[in-house]
Amino acid sequence: MATKHVEQILTPPPASMVGDGFWVHNFFPNGYNLESQRMSPFFLLDYNPKMEIPPSDQPRGLGVHPHRGLETVMIVYQGKIVHHDSHGNSAIISAGDIQWMTAGAGILHKEYYDAEYNKEGGLLQMVQLWINLPQKAKMSKPKYQAIRHEELSQYHLPFGGGIIEVIAGNYMGVGGIISTFSPLELYNVKLKKGTCFLLNLPANYNTGILVVEGNVVINDNEIAPADHFVLFKNEGDEIILDIKEDSILLVMSGEPINEPVFASGPIVMNTKEEVTQAFDDVNSGKFGKLD
């Protein structure tokens, strides 16, 4: 075993509003000058840190918009978000739940606060990930999965040290509920103060950890506080996490998709011509309809 060393610990970049409901730090691709495929197959990471949402009678969220060529993943830590799409899917994503949408050939969707939550206000904390699809899967049939917290596969560490929620991939023989189009690992790692945790991930995988809660020492000498993103070098396969206070870590690691990428807004394809065609298809109604 060899150590997978830290390349950078990224502080939250300046926040921006997405729609009128989500106040996010975009760690990549735009928040930092990372090479465009540095975290491939993960294309985008938006993080809405824990914040208090005031009560309102006005609906808030993100209106109808298209996607093609990627998967979108929303992980809700606090709050209650509603999803609707042009294929007739709808769901309420509450604290601990996950939505996984394969846009594939094309879909319209919208996400907004649940009406009761919007009226009463409360805490909001969530992650939005975009996962690039390999060329052969970009025009696959759209699919939507709303995953309740209790449905997630779990690995319990000995002596009450914590729980690994396996969203995708496999941890110690425990497989995630999601099957993916390229090899990747995605875990919610919930660790208790005083735990020393060893994580093994392939050396060639692009790997990052978002510190959602708590404070962690990595490989004995790098300190990563809450709301920071840890980018690892593509070397070694062993990460040692020393947990200084109860912590929640979002671990993402995947085999790079070594294909050209051309993206514009919510469309991620391989060429400019494919992106142009995608917007033409949106305008001609081929993504369906959604009010």
Side-chain angles (χ1 to χ4, degrees):
M1 295 291 182
T3 299
K4 184 182 287 290
H5 292 287
V6 172
E7 181 174 314
Q8 298 182 69
I9 296 179
L10 307 178
T11 59
S16 60
M17 185 65 84
V18 176
D20 60 1
F22 307 108
W23 189 246
V24 305
H25 302 285
N26 176 252
F27 281 97
F28 58 84
N30 299 320
Y32 282 88
N33 292 322
L34 302 180
E35 188 272 327
S36 63
Q37 298 195 62
R38 178 62 184 85
M39 274 299 294
S40 174
F42 305 98
F43 183 81
L44 174 145
L45 170 59
D46 276 346
Y47 174 54
N48 192 131
K50 188 182 293 183
M51 61 188 298
E52 187 72 29
I53 301 299
S56 177
D57 292 325
Q58 298 298 317
R60 292 173 289 183
L62 180 60
V64 177
H65 59 283
H67 285 294
R68 174 179 279 180
L70 73 158
E71 298 185 288
T72 69
V73 181
M74 177 183 285
I75 303 170
V76 176
Y77 295 97
Q78 302 284 344
K80 190 175 286 189
I81 310 299
V82 180
H83 163 95
H84 280 93
D85 66 44
S86 57
H87 284 253
N89 301 301
S90 63
I92 298 175
I93 306 97
S94 301
D97 297 344
I98 294 166
Q99 72 166 13
W100 193 293
M101 186 180 77
T102 304
I107 198 167
L108 305 176
H109 80 144
K110 60 182 179 179
E111 298 157 306
Y112 53 94
Y113 296 170
D114 170 74
E116 182 180 358
Y117 170 77
N118 186 66
K119 185 175 181 179
E120 295 180 356
L123 287 176
L124 177 67
Q125 186 181 29
M126 52 156 287
V127 166
Q128 176 89 357
L129 279 173
W130 291 4
I131 300 174
N132 189 23
L133 289 173
Q135 186 176 32
K136 64 183 180 181
K138 283 192 174 294
M139 297 299 286
S140 58
K141 182 179 179 180
K143 180 181 178 180
Y144 179 77
Q145 296 178 80
I147 303 154
R148 302 302 176 202
H149 181 253
E150 58 269 20
E151 297 177 289
L152 288 171
S153 304
Q154 296 186 351
Y155 179 89
H156 291 257
L157 296 176
F159 311 112
I163 297 172
I164 315 304
E165 295 176 349
V166 185
I167 303 167
N170 189 290
Y171 181 81
M172 298 293 287
V174 175
I177 194 170
I178 299 293
S179 59
T180 61
F181 290 86
S182 63
L184 64 88
E185 307 291 324
L186 186 62
Y187 317 143
N188 256 330
V189 179
K190 301 178 177 181
L191 300 172
K192 295 294 185 180
K193 178 182 178 179
T195 299
C196 188
F197 177 65
L198 182 64
L199 189 61
N200 286 293
L201 296 163
N204 67 308
Y205 278 25
N206 290 328
T207 300
I209 295 177
L210 177 67
V211 184
V212 177
E213 300 275 359
N215 188 301
V216 58
V217 176
I218 302 170
N219 296 332
D220 297 325
N221 59 7
E222 301 275 3
I223 300 173
D227 302 335
H228 286 57
F229 181 77
V230 185
L231 178 67
F232 290 87
K233 296 180 180 180
N234 293 83
E235 61 181 27
D237 52 11
E238 186 175 274
I239 301 170
I240 301 172
L241 304 174
D242 186 8
I243 307 304
K244 296 304 181 184
E245 56 188 78
D246 290 359
S247 298
I248 300 175
L249 312 174
L250 180 62
V251 175
M252 59 192 79
S253 184
E255 183 176 75
I257 299 174
N258 294 314
E259 297 173 352
V261 172
F262 192 94
S264 179
I267 308 295
V268 180
M269 300 299 287
N270 298 105
T271 68
K272 181 179 179 180
E273 291 73 21
E274 289 171 339
V275 170
T276 299
Q277 183 63 56
F279 284 112
D280 287 345
D281 290 347
V282 171
N283 293 332
S284 63
K286 292 183 179 179
F287 281 38
K289 295 182 179 180
L290 184 64
D291 296 326

